[in-house]
């Protein structure tokens, strides 16, 4: 994927601040971080969404995330971190190459404070669960 910025970063043809690399995975600092140490973890091969990515490869990518996230947290001395994977424009995905954000957090930093939530009215949860189970 010549026109994909993350393919090019993973191949080393576009510079990045590298955190980790192996045969399958590349991790680098986000160019516009939410906090110091904000890291992106990508598979070296190109898939747009998490549900496009073959299960075996997804497992390989996820198997690296714990180690990288622990190093990010210890490295910057964060109190915690979020692992985030945006899928689709509606969900905030701007780069069409599957990636996981590791976002270091500090107690009281206010990031993601506005998490809009609601309660299901009676029977709606089961109706929605049925739709999802059918789509599996
Ligand atoms: P998304 O919104 O697609 O989940 O996140 C894409 C992320 O990639 C953004 O946080 C953005 O700052 C980062 N990003 C976009 N282009 C580049 C780039 O060329 N280099 C690096 N290091 N990060 C990038
Ligand atoms: Zn790509």
């Amino acid at each position: 994927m010549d026109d994909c910025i993350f393919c090019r970063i993973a191949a080393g043809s576009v510079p990045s601040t590298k955190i980790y690399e192996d045969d399958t995975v590349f991790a680098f600092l986000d160019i516009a971080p939410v906090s110091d140490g904000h890291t992106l973890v990508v598979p070296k091969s190109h898939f747009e969404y998490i549900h496009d990515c073959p299960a075996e490869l997804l497992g390989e990518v996820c198997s690296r995330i714990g180690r990288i996230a622990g190093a990010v947290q210890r490295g910057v001395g964060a109190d915690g971190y979020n692992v985030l994977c945006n899928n689709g424009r509606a969900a905030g995905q701007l780069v069409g190459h599957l990636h996981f954000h590791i976002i270091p957090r500090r107690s009281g930093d206010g990031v993601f404070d506005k998490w809009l939530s609601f309660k299901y009215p009676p029977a709606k949860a089961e109706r929605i669960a049925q739709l999802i189970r059918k789509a599996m």
Side-chain angles (χ1 to χ4, degrees), residues 36-95:
D36 282 350
H38 181 165
T39 296
L40 300 174
V41 182
V42 305
K44 284 189 169 176
S45 43
H46 183 93
F47 295 94
E48 190 165 3
Y49 306 121
I50 199 169
H51 58 271
D52 285 342
C53 185
E56 195 172 312
L57 174 59
L58 187 57
E60 293 271 306
V61 177
C62 291
S63 75
R64 274 63 160 187
I65 287 180
R67 182 172 165 221
I68 298 168
V72 168
Q73 177 170 17
R74 286 189 301 277
V76 301
D79 301 319
Y81 57 88
N82 295 99
V83 175
L84 190 67
C85 178
N86 299 326
N87 288 266
R89 276 288 162 103
Q93 185 179 15
L94 297 176
V95 176

Side-chain angles (χ1 to χ4, degrees), residues 5-6 9 28-32 40 86 92-95 99 101:
I5 184 69
F6 286 179
I9 286 174
F28 54 104
L29 290 184
D30 196 298
I31 206 171
L40 300 174
N86 299 326
Q93 185 179 15
L94 297 176
V95 176
H99 54 279
H101 296 256

Side-chain angles (χ1 to χ4, degrees), residues 17-28 39-41 44 64 67-68:
T17 309
K18 184 165 90 175
I19 296 291
Y20 173 83
E21 178 177 17
D22 60 31
D23 289 348
T24 314
V25 164
F26 196 87
F28 54 104
T39 296
L40 300 174
V41 182
K44 284 189 169 176
R64 274 63 160 187
R67 182 172 165 221
I68 298 168

